[in-house]
Structure formats: C-alpha cells, structure tokens
Amino acid sequence: MAKTPTFDKRPSKILRVGKGFKLQDVDPGSTPGYDGDKADGHKLLAEMDDKLGGLQEQLFAESRFGGRKRVLLILQAMDTAGKGGIVNHVMGTMDPQGVQLATFKAPTPEEKSYDFLWRIEKEVPAAGMMGVFDRSHYEDVLIHQVHRWAGAEELERRYAAINEFEARQAAAGTRIVKVMLHISRDEQKERLLARLDDPTKRWKYSGTDLQERAFWDDYMDAYQKAFDKTSTEAAPWHVVPGNSKWYARIAVQQLLLEALEGLDLQWPVPDLDVALERDLVLRS
Amino acid sequence: MAKTPTFDKRPSKILRVGKGFKLQDVDPGSTPGYDGDKADGHKLLAEMDDKLGGLQEQLFAESRFGGRKRVLLILQAMDTAGKGGIVNHVMGTMDPQGVQLATFKAPTPEEKSYDFLWRIEKEVPAAGMMGVFDRSHYEDVLIHQVHRWAGAEELERRYAAINEFEARQAAAGTRIVKVMLHISRDEQKERLLARLDDPTKRWKYSGTDLQERAFWDDYMDAYQKAFDKTSTEAAPWHVVPGNSKWYARIAVQQLLLEALEGLDLQWPVPDLDVALERDLVLRS
C-alpha cells in the first residue's frame, strides 16, 4: 500500500508568524509544507486521529497524578473560514472529558462591565485539559480596532495585557497554539452564497457577516497589527491557509500533534503492587 | 452490497424499565432486539453517526430561532461498564458547540453543603443542547443506599425530589433518556484485570473500584429500587446490556436517535429575502 504523504516541513515552523511576517504574502489557497492532494490530506487526517487522541489521553492521565501541563488552542478567523469544522474534527478525536471548549460571542452586559480578560480567565484550561477557544480575547483588539471602539492607547494597553496574560499561562504549564485561519475574500463570498442556497445551512447565515465583510481590508490590517504585537516566544501565532478545508484541518492537527509531542508526556505509573491487586481482583 | 442489519424491535420499548421489571432477569451478555453480530454492529454504528449528528445540529439550529427543545442523556453504571466509551462515541459524532457534558464525581465540600440537586441543576442542558450526565443525582440514591449514608426516609424524600425535578425538566422541553449500562460481575473482573495488565490503562485502576465491587449485590438492589421509584412516564429508565461494548453503543445510539426523532425537528427558516441577500453578497 502506498504511504500517505506527510508534511515535508513542520507546520509549527513554516506557518509561524515570525519577524517581518506579512499577512498579505500568504496565499489562502496554498498548502505550505504539504505536497499531497485532497485525497491524501483526508487519509493523513484519518491516520493521525488515533495518535492525537492518544496523546490527549496521556495529557489527561498525567494530570490525574499531579501533572500540570495543558494545551490551549486559540482560533481566530473571518466568518465562514471553517473554525467550526476544525473544532468539530479536533474534538471528535479526543475524550470529551479532557476537552474544554469556550465559544466567545459578543460579550454580555455583565461581561462588558469587567476588563476584557475577565471572561477569558474563567475559561482557561485546567491541568490536563485540552482547551479550545473559538474566538477569544483577540476580538477585543480586532473588531475593536476595525470599528474604532478602542483608541490607539487602549489598544496598546490590551496588547500588553494579552502578552502578560499568555506568558503567565505558559509559565503555569500551558502550551498555547494560536491559529488564524486565513481565507480569501472571494472564498468567503462563495461560502456565504452556499449558505444562502442550502436550506440546511441557511440558518447559519447572518446579515452581520455581510456587514463585517465590508471591512475586510481593515480586518486584515488589524490581524497584521495583532501579529506584530502578540506573536511572542511564549505564544506564537500561526497563519493557516484555509481556502482548502482539508489542508486547514491537517495543518491544525499537526500543530496540535507537535504541541503535545513537545510536552514529553508519559503514561503515569500508579503507586500500586500490580501482582497483589491482580490477586485481590481474582479473589473478588 | 448486503444491507446492514438494524434493530428489529425499538430499543426505547424493549430496553425500557416498565411495570414489574426485574434487573436480575436481564442478561448483561444479551443483545435485545438485535440479531446482527459484532461486525454488523460496528457497521450500523458508523452508518448512523451522520444521522445522529444531523439531528443534533437541527436541535441546535432550532434553538437559535427560539426553539426550547433539548435532550438529556443520563448514564449510570458500575465501574468499567463503558460509560466513557459511549460518551466518547456519542459526542464524537456531534458538534461540540451543541453538547454539554457534566461528569459528576464525589461531591466537593461546597457541593455537600447544599441539597443534592444543587450541583445537578447547574448542569442541565440549555435550549438546543444535547446534555450528557456521566453519573448524576442517582449517585445520591445508589451509593447512599448501599453504604447507608442516607436512611429510608431520606431516600424516599430524594426519590420524590428526583421525580419532581425530572418532570419539571421534561415540561420545560427536555427529552430525558436514562440509561443504566449493565455488565456482569464476571465481566467487571475481566476488565479490572485488563486495566492492571495494560500500562496505558493502569492509571485508570483505582482501589476504590475493588471496594465498591464487594457491594455488587447491594448495588443491584439499589438500582432495582431506583428503577421502581423513578422510572416515570416523563423520564423512563432503560437497561442496556453492556458485556458487548458494541451492542451497548448501538443501543444508546438508537435511544438517542429515537429521542431526537420524537422531537419533530425542522431546519429553521430565517426571515430573510434570499434573492436580495444573494444579490448583496454578489455585489460585496
């Protein structure tokens, strides 16, 4: 049987937002580091599911014996980019007991009455957990910059607060994986039309998607600014081209695999006399 | 291609705890209503995944447009019966955004300072959600009866409180599916030994499992009592034989399918002029 093509360059390197990164240089239709086609991608995705699930179980298991490690995937994107599908797939391969999903919508009046990180802090993953943020505190520097709900000085304060917040999480044992799913403006148009045309998808269509779409270039500027300010050593950004859904999925899967592998996880060795316990079970 | 065998009797009927039900009459190794073998069961499970996921999405979608329906799966079982695997599979087929999992462990001191339903009430599913309880308020009439942590009068109070609580949830739009996964005492012995023998599973082994195992018959009595007292019209119990993991999975899957189908779900029809919106998107 032919071997399924894998990445020839590590997504954590090739998709990373480093010095001098320009969002406009990323082709949303490209598949960096991967030469396979869609069918190959689907095969790779399926083949890696068990590995990802196994590592997540190890992460969870370690925490039952005092481990403090955890992972936090932060997903940001324009509407229709496919965050939902990725969350669905990633979490589908894991034990739900060990996954904490937080979906951040427009803040409630109560949430607005606090500083922007208040509602975020409440949702950070506990030890052993795989946390997933579907949108995040980055909304407070993206949409707020685009619509000028925050001025330059306030935005600076928020970037600094975000970096401190994320560095603290990292120091406490959290591996942070920040991903922007990047689709093109034309691709979004196609996907909005597809939502309108399919009666089983129409309920997902929202007039506000179209309103925000009108600010496309401003959003790209806001993302660039956020990357410049918050792609740190402790919590680097990755831009994942998203026009090909299959590519986005294997890329995020690989980013998580790399993050988990980097934690050097081990199966806990419980302090018990296995022979004695076996005997007790047999006699029971 | 041969058609995959399906259930010849509805699990919601054949597994239901009705008048005169005796737990001791259920063979944990049986596969009621299903004539297929293990391979058939796996095929059926995979074939029904999309259907289950689709219905769950409809449930969620309805709630975005004012729907109040929701589902609550309550799982109870002896240790090693396979609750985790079922939660894993059921939730793996659904959109995590629409699923609320609550795992009830031994209550914390804070939880103990309230009445037993306090921590339960906080975890009931919101409109549109698929709620899953991994253990539940039934611990307070099972383990509490077995170890005599509650007297006869207190247990009666709790049965009545549970029935009122569940009837209220049902009246508010919640379809409640209560499942006891039923394994045999011998099967549990095999599974405990398997945990001890596998270094990747050993961390799940707990000495308290063995302690509770010593009270097996008392637990069966407590389950029987709970069935007698709380298998109501609004929230009937189902006993799912669990020695065959594959059977338990397809049986729970079918119970959920039946529950969701019984809700008569429809895709929402948003109040928008599709032609106009299409035009706006095309011009955008």
Side-chain angles (χ1 to χ4, degrees), chain B residues 174-203:
Chain B
T174 307
R175 182 68 62 109
I176 300 174
V177 180
K178 296 194 292 201
V179 169
M180 181 226 184
L181 274 185
H182 187 35
I183 57 168
S184 66
R185 198 172 168 161
D186 284 346
E187 179 70 20
Q188 191 192 49
K189 181 183 286 191
E190 294 308 313
R191 294 187 185 180
L192 287 172
L193 291 173
R195 278 192 184 173
L196 280 169
D197 291 343
D198 181 346
T200 74
K201 302 282 176 222
R202 199 170 289 155
W203 66 278

Side-chain angles (χ1 to χ4, degrees), chain B residues 93-229:
Chain B
T93 63
M94 298 180 175
D95 183 349
Q97 199 185 174
V99 186
Q100 270 175 258
L101 170 66
T103 305
F104 293 100
K105 313 248 181 211
T108 64
E110 189 195 19
E111 287 170 345
K112 278 188 192 170
S113 76
Y114 294 91
D115 191 33
F116 75 110
L117 288 173
W118 179 79
R119 66 173 185 161
I120 306 297
E121 189 84 55
K122 292 199 290 182
E123 302 286 352
V124 298
M129 302 298 278
M130 164 69 62
V132 180
F133 282 2
D134 181 348
R135 304 191 189 276
S136 67
H137 42 294
Y138 284 98
E139 293 295 318
D140 295 277
V141 292
L142 294 169
I143 189 168
H144 282 237
Q145 170 171 325
V146 167
H147 295 302
R148 300 190 168 80
W149 297 340
E153 202 176 329
E154 172 63 10
L155 286 171
E156 289 299 329
R157 182 189 77 80
R158 292 184 190 178
Y159 297 129
I162 286 173
N163 287 338
E164 281 175 22
F165 166 75
E166 292 180 351
R168 173 161 53 85
Q169 303 304 322
T174 307
R175 182 68 62 109
I176 300 174
V177 180
K178 296 194 292 201
V179 169
M180 181 226 184
L181 274 185
H182 187 35
I183 57 168
S184 66
R185 198 172 168 161
D186 284 346
E187 179 70 20
Q188 191 192 49
K189 181 183 286 191
E190 294 308 313
R191 294 187 185 180
L192 287 172
L193 291 173
R195 278 192 184 173
L196 280 169
D197 291 343
D198 181 346
T200 74
K201 302 282 176 222
R202 199 170 289 155
W203 66 278
K204 293 185 184 180
Y205 181 87
S206 156
T208 61
D209 294 356
L210 201 56
Q211 283 165 36
E212 296 308 311
R213 175 172 167 76
F215 295 92
W216 190 276
D217 292 339
D218 296 327
Y219 270 105
M220 294 306 113
D221 288 347
Y223 272 106
Q224 180 67 52
K225 186 87 178 287
F227 295 153
D228 293 344
K229 295 285 186 179

Side-chain angles (χ1 to χ4, degrees), chain A residues 57 60-61 64-65 84 87-88 91-92 94-97 101 103 105 134 185 189 192-193 196-197 199-205 207 210 213 267-268 270 272 274 277-278 280-284, chain B residues 57 60-61 64-65 84 87-88 91-92 94-97 101 103 105 134 185 189 192-193 196-197 199-205 207 210 213 267-268 270 272 274 277-278 280-284:
Chain A
E57 195 185 1
F60 182 79
R64 302 298 101 169
F65 291 78
V87 169
N88 225 318
M91 294 182 61
M94 297 181 175
D95 183 348
Q97 202 185 173
L101 170 66
T103 305
K105 313 247 183 212
D134 181 347
R185 197 172 171 162
K189 181 183 284 192
L192 287 172
L193 291 173
L196 280 169
D197 292 343
T200 75
K201 303 281 176 224
R202 199 170 290 154
W203 65 277
K204 295 186 184 180
Y205 182 86
L210 200 55
R213 177 172 165 76
W267 289 113
L272 50 84
V274 175
E277 292 293 333
R278 276 200 116 260
L280 289 172
V281 172
L282 284 168
R283 287 161 185 270
S284 71
Chain B
E57 194 186 2
F60 182 79
R64 302 298 100 168
F65 291 79
V87 168
N88 224 319
M91 292 182 63
M94 298 180 175
D95 183 349
Q97 199 185 174
L101 170 66
T103 305
K105 313 248 181 211
D134 181 348
R185 198 172 168 161
K189 181 183 286 191
L192 287 172
L193 291 173
L196 280 169
D197 291 343
T200 74
K201 302 282 176 222
R202 199 170 289 155
W203 66 278
K204 293 185 184 180
Y205 181 87
L210 201 56
R213 175 172 167 76
W267 289 112
L272 50 84
V274 175
E277 292 292 334
R278 275 199 118 261
L280 289 172
V281 171
L282 284 169
R283 287 160 186 270
S284 72

Side-chain angles (χ1 to χ4, degrees), chain A:
Chain A
M1 209 173 72
K3 225 174 149 248
T4 311
T6 54
F7 278 83
D8 53 28
K9 296 200 187 76
R10 290 167 62 193
S12 66
K13 297 287 169 222
I14 199 169
L15 302 176
R16 181 169 176 153
V17 172
K19 250 195 152 61
F21 171 90
K22 293 289 166 222
L23 182 57
Q24 66 198 29
D25 296 340
V26 178
D27 175 0
S30 63
T31 62
Y34 195 71
D35 283 337
D37 60 14
K38 182 174 175 173
D40 296 326
H42 279 289
K43 265 178 70 184
L44 181 64
L45 190 71
E47 286 176 16
M48 291 292 134
D49 276 352
D50 282 351
K51 192 172 176 190
L52 187 58
L55 286 164
Q56 178 266 323
E57 195 185 1
Q58 260 184 331
L59 177 68
F60 182 79
E62 268 199 357
S63 73
R64 302 298 101 169
F65 291 78
R68 304 291 297 170
K69 298 167 193 166
R70 60 204 89 180
V71 175
L72 174 58
L73 172 65
I74 298 177
L75 285 170
Q76 285 289 156
M78 299 297 285
D79 293 314
T80 75
K83 279 188 289 89
I86 283 182
V87 169
N88 225 318
H89 187 87
V90 164
M91 294 182 61
T93 65
M94 297 181 175
D95 183 348
Q97 202 185 173
V99 186
Q100 270 176 256
L101 170 66
T103 305
F104 294 100
K105 313 247 183 212
T108 64
E110 189 195 21
E111 288 170 345
K112 278 189 193 171
S113 76
Y114 293 91
D115 191 34
F116 75 109
L117 289 172
W118 179 79
R119 65 173 186 160
I120 307 296
E121 188 85 56
K122 292 198 290 182
E123 302 286 351
V124 298
M129 302 298 279
M130 165 69 64
V132 180
F133 282 1
D134 181 347
R135 304 189 189 277
S136 67
H137 40 294
Y138 285 99
E139 293 296 318
D140 295 276
V141 291
L142 294 169
I143 189 168
H144 282 238
Q145 170 171 324
V146 167
H147 294 303
R148 302 192 167 76
W149 298 340
E153 200 176 331
E154 170 64 9
L155 287 171
E156 289 299 330
R157 182 188 78 80
R158 292 184 191 178
Y159 296 130
I162 286 173
N163 287 339
E164 281 176 21
F165 167 75
E166 292 180 350
R168 173 160 55 85
Q169 303 305 320
T174 307
R175 183 68 63 110
I176 300 175
V177 181
K178 297 194 292 200
V179 169
M180 182 226 185
L181 275 184
H182 187 36
I183 57 170
S184 66
R185 197 172 171 162
D186 283 347
E187 179 68 20
Q188 191 191 48
K189 181 183 284 192
E190 293 309 313
R191 294 187 186 182
L192 287 172
L193 291 173
R195 278 191 183 173
L196 280 169
D197 292 343
D198 181 347
T200 75
K201 303 281 176 224
R202 199 170 290 154
W203 65 277
K204 295 186 184 180
Y205 182 86
S206 155
T208 61
D209 294 355
L210 200 55
Q211 284 166 37
E212 297 308 312
R213 177 172 165 76
F215 294 92
W216 190 274
D217 293 339
D218 296 328
Y219 270 105
M220 294 307 112
D221 289 346
Y223 271 106
Q224 179 67 52
K225 186 87 179 287
F227 296 152
D228 294 343
K229 295 285 185 178
T230 67
S231 198
T232 59
E233 266 309 309
W237 273 103
H238 302 85
V239 173
V240 174
N243 279 11
S244 299
K245 283 184 184 175
W246 64 267
Y247 174 79
R249 287 181 191 190
I250 56 173
V252 174
Q253 186 189 52
Q254 292 289 327
L255 288 172
L256 289 175
L257 282 170
E258 285 191 55
L260 283 158
E261 283 167 347
L263 293 176
D264 190 28
L265 300 164
Q266 310 290 338
W267 289 113
V269 181
D271 180 25
L272 50 84
D273 181 335
V274 175
L276 172 67
E277 292 293 333
R278 276 200 116 260
D279 195 46
L280 289 172
V281 172
L282 284 168
R283 287 161 185 270
S284 71

